[in-house]
Amino acid sequence: MTIIVLNFKTYRETTGEAALSLSKICQGVAEDCGVEIAVAPQAVDIRRIAKNVSIPVYAQHVDGVGMGGYTGHVTAVSVQEAGAVGSLINHSERRLQLAQIEASISACKAAGLNTIICTNNVATTRAAAALEPTYVAVEPPELIGSGIAVSQADPEVVRGSVDAVKRICAGVGVLCGAGITTGQDLRAALDLGTEGVLLASGIIKAKDQRAALEDLVAGA
Amino acid sequence: MTIIVLNFKTYRETTGEAALSLSKICQGVAEDCGVEIAVAPQAVDIRRIAKNVSIPVYAQHVDGVGMGGYTGHVTAVSVQEAGAVGSLINHSERRLQLAQIEASISACKAAGLNTIICTNNVATTRAAAALEPTYVAVEPPELIGSGIAVSQADPEVVRGSVDAVKRICAGVGVLCGAGITTGQDLRAALDLGTEGVLLASGIIKAKDQRAALEDLVAGA
Amino acid sequence: MTIIVLNFKTYRETTGEAALSLSKICQGVAEDCGVEIAVAPQAVDIRRIAKNVSIPVYAQHVDGVGMGGYTGHVTAVSVQEAGAVGSLINHSERRLQLAQIEASISACKAAGLNTIICTNNVATTRAAAALEPTYVAVEPPELIGSGIAVSQADPEVVRGSVDAVKRICAGVGVLCGAGITTGQDLRAALDLGTEGVLLASGIIKAKDQRAALEDLVAGA
Amino acid sequence: MTIIVLNFKTYRETTGEAALSLSKICQGVAEDCGVEIAVAPQAVDIRRIAKNVSIPVYAQHVDGVGMGGYTGHVTAVSVQEAGAVGSLINHSERRLQLAQIEASISACKAAGLNTIICTNNVATTRAAAALEPTYVAVEPPELIGSGIAVSQADPEVVRGSVDAVKRICAGVGVLCGAGITTGQDLRAALDLGTEGVLLASGIIKAKDQRAALEDLVAGA
């Protein structure tokens, strides 16, 4: 099933009440169109959003630590308990060491959470797939926030990632991100063999977030 | 006024419902004894705890970034909006670069949050005081979690920190941490010129958390 | 061919003149026994050692950056120009982000350098192999510096790493490290299918470094 | 005495033989004009440059660790033994945690090395001065590599840094950096009360490095 993951990052439009409102818009669009839309709000907003919407809620980051003396860390157990069903890991804005990525995936699996590892090219996608997350999301850094969709501007990195993942571990899904905004961007991503997209500013910064989402899912 | 800051870290005993229960215990003891007790829960628990208790709630960490494309970061605005009144910064388990500490303090001040910068010796206490936080909390790393109280085992680092802060910026308060458990530990800390203590496992891991807290505040 | 990589770390016994002396001891033993012994000195010592011995010299770390504005970084080009033939990457004492590991390998390959990626378990070994370095060196952190050899105490992690690498990319060699000291440790490592070992304190801290090396290579 | 510190970074023009050539140019200009010019080459080049020129050689970075198991780190002892007389610490391209900066300064002092802590604004300059390095070098990040000299474009951050340092610890010298290229830039920096400048691309990328240096020192 096609999945759209909306990364809330830490924008003004995704902080506090606005994060809850946007989550409800996502839920409304998801219900109307039959596409799975997941939201990834800031840590402090996970519980409230998970309690108020029925669509999947992801954390933006989970540290590769367990319970114990880890001040200021975000644990898999804490986000699961708050209602998240998964987490982004190693986003380009929150890169982790290789050993930490592995530990984070292990902690998420132990807590029953899905995992989306973000990568920046085909080689790191291969490495990430070897860690057997639920999804790898490839995002060329130079296109993030650019408005130029990776699925249209750089289809080779997407196709190469799909091929690499299938060879390493066929059970791992592939998403792509960076510059994704429109239904055409999503359509192109699906045509390249991905299960969906990871996006942020294209929807969050839209004048009409609902209309932008509706345009996006029309490509599914 | 004496302040006790209970850092919840990421223990099992401070995750989810248990975090809320412990916060209520803290509130009960604070009301009975007239000491200020602040709690510093995990990010996902801030909102629920702040809504359910009247004692001060601190974040364990705030990144030195504003609103924008900062996936997986904890912003001052987000924790303030969730009900926190302050944040630990640069805890020994979540060290930051100097420029990040300064940016975090600036972001906290702009959001109206108190700041507690953690340091590891007199020299870093001096540097932290120059950044003008609300408090500096000196915690010699070798004593953290040791059960050996810094205020009794290493009074020089506490006294030296108090002196250094007063010379650099007299308006900054001084806390001490590491191994603090009992009322005697707190008494010793106050006698050395601090405004209070920062502690964690001594209370969190106690068989009877309320009794441990009551013993602690008896030293105030 | 069996390879022994001696990581000099930053011990007193491997700083300055002592690093050069130990390199010459390694060269002497390598000539006498027909085993390849490579040394990995500190960055400042690479050029002098490479000029004075004929055995392979590795850097301990190469950053995943090119030439340009990267103050304080160690580039592949700089260590190659100084005489190194390869580099450790992602040692447990100098962990890198996944994207940095990939960038470091790319930079090393472009400069004609061999690469040894250090990993901590079978899963991260799989991921590292997907990046196609010259070698992966698996070192369970809990055994590093312990004197308890991974090849004897935890053969499963070594065997699992060998199997994983062969499935991911058969051209990648496997080393193991952590606690390796004696010829028996090396023998066990080779019997498990590795190409050799990565070690440090077992030789560096030996009362008689030459004798320790001779005992080690006797296991080849 | 006025000091000019030329940070070699990791440019092609400052790698290998070119680094030695540029160091000799610096020495020539320094002898002719009576200004102290120090060079900060990459770690692998320190020894060769220090052996071949008589001007001061600085490391670009020293980690806050001692001798021991610190693979891939640069120690104060190793750069001192290689001939360096000091080190940059916490450059904007190699930021350190506060506790690491303090540990690095302590290690440098124990090894008899001068220290230049880089900072990004007046507040971090205050904090750095409290650690009592030899110099603080303030460099607003937005001007680094810009060709727009901090001493002319943002005199307030320079003047504010000089004032702050004098209040915190009068024995600490102040340098400024970012965009410094010409003699006028240096003159402006000295007029604002600094002891000198830290610069890089303005000289390194000049078509005629010697002419660029001569123009610079004419401002002293």
Side-chain angles (χ1 to χ4, degrees):
Chain A
M1 184 190 187
T2 297
I3 180 170
I4 292 168
V5 182
L6 186 58
N7 175 6
F8 279 16
K9 300 193 176 184
T10 61
Y11 292 109
R12 183 180 302 277
E13 295 85 352
T14 50
T15 294
E17 292 295 331
L20 183 55
S21 302
L22 179 53
S23 299
K24 288 178 177 169
I25 292 172
C26 290
Q27 176 168 271
V29 173
E31 284 167 354
D32 292 349
C33 73
V35 169
E36 181 171 45
I37 303 180
V39 291
Q42 297 172 66
V44 298
D45 291 324
I46 289 172
R47 188 185 308 276
R48 183 165 63 170
I49 290 173
K51 186 176 282 182
N52 285 283
V53 299
S54 56
I55 57 175
V57 176
Y58 278 67
Q60 291 179 13
H61 163 73
V62 161
D63 285 292
V65 300
M67 289 186 275
Y70 301 107
T71 301
H73 290 69
V74 179
T75 65
V77 171
S78 76
V79 302
Q80 187 278 332
E81 192 275 339
V85 302
S87 184
L88 301 180
I89 296 172
N90 194 47
H91 188 275
S92 67
E93 295 160 0
R94 191 70 174 86
R95 289 289 193 226
L96 296 180
Q97 296 171 358
L98 173 59
Q100 292 174 325
I101 295 172
E102 193 273 329
S104 179
I105 291 175
S106 294
C108 285
K109 285 183 180 174
L113 296 175
N114 291 331
T115 49
I116 301 173
I117 311 187
C118 299
T119 61
N120 58 315
N121 58 29
V122 175
T124 51
T125 296
R126 280 171 52 86
L131 298 172
E132 303 183 0
T134 317
Y135 296 101
V136 175
V138 63
E139 299 193 294
E142 65 277 14
L143 296 179
I144 294 177
S146 70
I148 302 169
V150 61
S151 54
Q152 302 211 61
D154 192 0
E156 279 316 304
V157 73
V158 180
R159 192 179 290 119
S161 290
V162 171
D163 289 351
V165 168
K166 295 315 168 195
R167 275 199 302 273
I168 295 276
C169 186
V172 174
V174 180
L175 309 179
C176 69
I180 302 291
T181 308
T182 69
Q184 287 183 322
D185 300 337
L186 172 59
R187 186 68 258 157
L190 298 175
D191 289 346
L192 290 164
T194 69
E195 272 78 30
V197 295
L198 173 62
L199 79 170
S201 56
I203 302 299
I204 294 166
K205 291 291 193 180
K207 269 191 184 167
D208 183 335
Q209 294 173 331
R210 176 181 287 272
L213 264 175
E214 287 171 343
D215 176 72
L216 178 72
V217 299
Chain B
M1 185 190 185
T2 296
I3 180 170
I4 293 168
V5 182
L6 186 58
N7 175 6
F8 279 16
K9 300 193 175 185
T10 61
Y11 291 110
R12 183 181 300 277
E13 295 85 354
T14 49
T15 294
E17 292 295 332
L20 183 56
S21 302
L22 179 54
S23 299
K24 288 177 176 169
I25 291 172
C26 290
Q27 175 168 272
V29 173
E31 284 167 354
D32 293 348
C33 73
V35 168
E36 181 171 47
I37 303 180
V39 292
Q42 296 172 67
V44 298
D45 291 325
I46 290 173
R47 188 186 307 277
R48 183 165 63 171
I49 290 173
K51 187 176 282 181
N52 285 283
V53 299
S54 56
I55 57 176
V57 177
Y58 278 66
Q60 292 179 13
H61 163 72
V62 161
D63 284 292
V65 300
M67 288 186 276
Y70 301 107
T71 301
H73 290 69
V74 179
T75 65
V77 170
S78 76
V79 302
Q80 187 276 334
E81 192 276 340
V85 301
S87 184
L88 302 180
I89 296 172
N90 194 46
H91 188 273
S92 68
E93 294 159 2
R94 192 71 174 83
R95 288 289 192 227
L96 296 181
Q97 297 171 358
L98 173 59
Q100 293 175 325
I101 296 172
E102 193 273 329
S104 179
I105 291 176
S106 293
C108 285
K109 285 183 181 174
L113 296 174
N114 291 330
T115 50
I116 301 173
I117 310 187
C118 299
T119 60
N120 58 316
N121 59 28
V122 175
T124 51
T125 296
R126 281 171 52 86
L131 298 172
E132 303 183 0
T134 317
Y135 297 100
V136 175
V138 63
E139 300 193 293
E142 65 277 14
L143 297 179
I144 294 177
S146 70
I148 301 169
V150 61
S151 54
Q152 301 211 60
D154 192 0
E156 279 316 304
V157 73
V158 180
R159 193 178 289 120
S161 290
V162 170
D163 289 350
V165 168
K166 296 316 169 197
R167 273 199 303 273
I168 295 276
C169 186
V172 174
V174 180
L175 309 179
C176 69
I180 303 289
T181 308
T182 69
Q184 287 182 321
D185 301 337
L186 173 58
R187 186 68 259 155
L190 298 175
D191 289 345
L192 289 164
T194 68
E195 271 79 30
V197 295
L198 173 61
L199 81 170
S201 57
I203 301 298
I204 293 166
K205 292 290 193 183
K207 269 193 181 166
D208 183 336
Q209 293 173 330
R210 175 181 290 272
L213 264 175
E214 288 170 342
D215 176 71
L216 179 70
V217 299
Chain C
M1 185 189 185
T2 297
I3 180 170
I4 293 168
V5 182
L6 186 58
N7 176 6
F8 279 16
K9 300 193 174 184
T10 61
Y11 291 109
R12 183 181 301 276
E13 296 85 353
T14 50
T15 294
E17 292 295 332
L20 183 56
S21 301
L22 180 53
S23 299
K24 288 177 176 170
I25 291 172
C26 290
Q27 175 168 271
V29 174
E31 284 167 355
D32 292 348
C33 73
V35 169
E36 181 171 47
I37 302 180
V39 291
Q42 296 172 67
V44 298
D45 291 323
I46 289 173
R47 188 186 308 276
R48 182 165 64 172
I49 290 173
K51 186 176 283 182
N52 284 283
V53 299
S54 56
I55 56 176
V57 176
Y58 278 67
Q60 292 180 13
H61 163 73
V62 162
D63 285 292
V65 299
M67 289 186 276
Y70 301 107
T71 301
H73 290 68
V74 179
T75 66
V77 170
S78 76
V79 302
Q80 187 277 334
E81 192 275 339
V85 301
S87 184
L88 302 180
I89 296 173
N90 193 46
H91 188 274
S92 67
E93 295 159 2
R94 192 71 175 82
R95 288 291 193 225
L96 296 181
Q97 296 171 358
L98 173 58
Q100 292 174 326
I101 296 172
E102 193 273 329
S104 179
I105 292 176
S106 293
C108 285
K109 285 182 181 175
L113 296 174
N114 291 330
T115 50
I116 301 173
I117 310 187
C118 299
T119 60
N120 58 316
N121 59 29
V122 175
T124 51
T125 296
R126 280 171 53 84
L131 297 173
E132 303 184 359
T134 317
Y135 296 101
V136 175
V138 63
E139 300 192 294
E142 65 278 13
L143 296 179
I144 294 177
S146 69
I148 302 169
V150 61
S151 55
Q152 302 211 61
D154 192 0
E156 278 317 304
V157 73
V158 180
R159 193 179 289 120
S161 289
V162 170
D163 289 350
V165 168
K166 296 315 169 196
R167 273 198 303 273
I168 296 277
C169 185
V172 174
V174 180
L175 309 179
C176 69
I180 303 291
T181 308
T182 69
Q184 287 184 322
D185 300 338
L186 173 59
R187 186 67 259 156
L190 298 175
D191 288 346
L192 290 163
T194 69
E195 272 78 30
V197 294
L198 173 61
L199 80 170
S201 57
I203 301 299
I204 294 166
K205 292 291 193 181
K207 269 193 183 165
D208 183 335
Q209 294 174 329
R210 175 181 289 272
L213 264 175
E214 288 170 342
D215 177 71
L216 178 72
V217 299
Chain D
M1 185 190 185
T2 297
I3 180 169
I4 292 168
V5 182
L6 186 58
N7 176 6
F8 280 16
K9 300 193 174 184
T10 61
Y11 291 109
R12 183 181 300 277
E13 295 85 353
T14 49
T15 294
E17 292 296 331
L20 183 55
S21 301
L22 179 54
S23 300
K24 288 178 177 170
I25 291 172
C26 290
Q27 175 168 271
V29 173
E31 285 167 354
D32 292 348
C33 73
V35 169
E36 182 171 47
I37 302 180
V39 292
Q42 296 172 67
V44 298
D45 291 324
I46 289 173
R47 188 185 308 277
R48 183 166 61 170
I49 290 173
K51 185 175 283 181
N52 286 282
V53 299
S54 55
I55 57 175
V57 176
Y58 278 67
Q60 291 180 13
H61 163 73
V62 161
D63 285 292
V65 300
M67 287 186 276
Y70 301 107
T71 301
H73 290 68
V74 179
T75 65
V77 170
S78 76
V79 302
Q80 186 278 332
E81 191 276 339
V85 301
S87 184
L88 301 180
I89 296 172
N90 194 47
H91 188 273
S92 68
E93 294 160 1
R94 192 71 175 83
R95 289 290 193 227
L96 296 180
Q97 296 171 358
L98 172 60
Q100 293 174 326
I101 295 172
E102 193 274 329
S104 179
I105 291 176
S106 293
C108 285
K109 285 183 181 174
L113 296 175
N114 291 330
T115 49
I116 302 173
I117 311 186
C118 299
T119 60
N120 57 316
N121 58 29
V122 175
T124 52
T125 296
R126 280 171 53 87
L131 298 172
E132 303 183 0
T134 316
Y135 296 100
V136 175
V138 63
E139 300 194 294
E142 65 277 13
L143 295 180
I144 294 178
S146 70
I148 302 169
V150 61
S151 53
Q152 302 211 62
D154 192 0
E156 278 316 304
V157 73
V158 180
R159 193 178 289 120
S161 290
V162 170
D163 289 350
V165 168
K166 296 315 169 196
R167 275 199 302 274
I168 295 279
C169 186
V172 174
V174 180
L175 308 179
C176 69
I180 302 291
T181 308
T182 69
Q184 287 183 321
D185 300 337
L186 173 59
R187 186 68 258 156
L190 298 175
D191 288 346
L192 290 164
T194 68
E195 272 78 31
V197 295
L198 173 62
L199 80 170
S201 57
I203 301 298
I204 294 167
K205 291 292 192 180
K207 268 192 183 166
D208 183 335
Q209 294 173 329
R210 175 181 289 272
L213 264 175
E214 288 171 341
D215 177 71
L216 178 71
V217 299

